[in-house]
Amino acid sequence: MDRDERVVRELVRAHGRTYAEEAGIRLKDTPQPLYRLLVLAHLLSARIRGSIAVATARALQEAGLGDPRRMAEADWQERVDALGRGGYRRYDERTATQLGEAAELLTERWGGDLRRLRREADGEVPELRRLLQEFPGVGPAGADIFLREAQHVWPEAAPYLDRKALQGAERLGLPAEPDRLVGLAGSTEPAVLAAALVRAAVDKEVAEDSLARAG
């Protein structure tokens, strides 16, 4: 096993946990988990610590705002309060508005089911990425986050290693080429590999730990 393979193995072993898993989302190709992933991607895309975004996604779920109809029906203050309980205070007022508008769009255009958006894209990843950005508050970064995680259940998106994941590879001294990284990861799911690489990109200690473990 060469140096790069050891680094990837140790990175995944210690830090290979998807953000959906961390947020308590049992990701399946069904409406509610996909919607919760969309909300998580929205939250993670802001300039805020990932741990706060994950905690806030959990807080929204605990407040009963885990499906688009309930999110759209909730009043603005209810959404603000749930965001605040998660620690998402810097962007809470704007995000509360955006979450309501996004839920309304999903309900009205795709019947609350992101699988319909997937069918509209007809398996084309660039079109998936474009359609996701129609949701208020979901820009290019949010679309990337969603697809990084959704590739677990939407295989046409795999391997999806976006710019942030490739930054993690560079920090680890790995080749910043998706196909080569997937090859180094062996049987590791691309979604898990992507999440681990992103953790290395955003947290220097993750990268240093992985390099130290690899020897």
Side-chain angles (χ1 to χ4, degrees):
M1 182 180 294
D2 68 17
R3 179 264 182 198
D4 288 353
E5 288 176 315
R6 292 197 306 273
V7 170
V8 172
R9 181 189 65 184
E10 295 303 331
L11 172 70
V12 169
R13 178 181 295 174
H15 306 287
R17 187 184 190 198
T18 66
Y19 286 89
E21 183 183 357
E22 188 178 348
I25 301 170
R26 294 186 178 182
L27 194 56
K28 297 185 290 185
D29 190 25
T30 54
Q32 189 175 52
L34 289 171
Y35 174 67
R36 290 184 63 195
L37 176 59
L38 180 68
V39 171
L40 176 62
H42 181 162
L43 298 173
L44 281 167
S45 66
R47 293 180 181 276
I48 200 163
R49 288 203 308 275
S51 58
I52 293 177
V54 166
T56 301
R58 286 181 173 273
L60 288 166
Q61 172 68 14
E62 290 164 2
L65 304 178
D67 69 79
R69 291 188 185 279
R70 181 70 184 86
M71 183 72 80
E73 291 169 357
D75 64 41
W76 179 81
Q77 190 62 51
E78 187 177 353
R79 293 193 293 267
V80 169
D81 291 345
L83 290 164
R85 286 194 293 275
Y88 208 86
R89 295 185 179 86
R90 183 176 174 187
Y91 303 101
D92 56 353
E93 296 187 357
R94 182 181 66 181
T95 302
T97 299
Q98 290 172 337
L99 287 173
E101 292 173 348
E104 289 174 5
L105 175 61
L106 178 56
T107 301
E108 293 168 4
R109 183 166 171 183
W110 291 291
D113 188 346
L114 283 161
R115 295 175 301 178
R116 296 186 182 183
L117 178 149
R118 180 189 184 189
R119 286 196 291 271
E120 184 175 324
D122 196 27
E124 297 294 329
V125 175
E127 183 64 4
L128 271 175
R129 194 171 183 271
R130 186 191 70 79
L131 289 172
L132 287 165
Q133 291 179 64
E134 294 195 15
F135 291 109
V138 179
D144 283 340
I145 293 165
F146 181 90
L147 291 170
R148 274 200 324 250
E149 301 268 324
Q151 65 183 317
H152 174 64
V153 291
W154 289 3
E156 71 272 22
Y160 199 91
L161 301 179
D162 66 334
R163 183 181 303 175
K164 184 62 72 175
L166 296 181
Q167 286 174 359
E170 290 175 350
R171 172 172 269 181
L172 290 160
L174 298 169
E177 301 166 30
D179 289 343
R180 289 185 65 187
L181 289 166
V182 169
L184 290 169
S187 61
T188 299
E189 284 194 23
V192 172
L193 172 63
L197 288 169
V198 168
R199 293 179 190 280
V202 300
D203 188 341
K204 187 177 180 181
E205 290 183 2
V206 167
E208 291 174 346
D209 173 67
S210 300
L211 292 170
R213 288 170 182 268

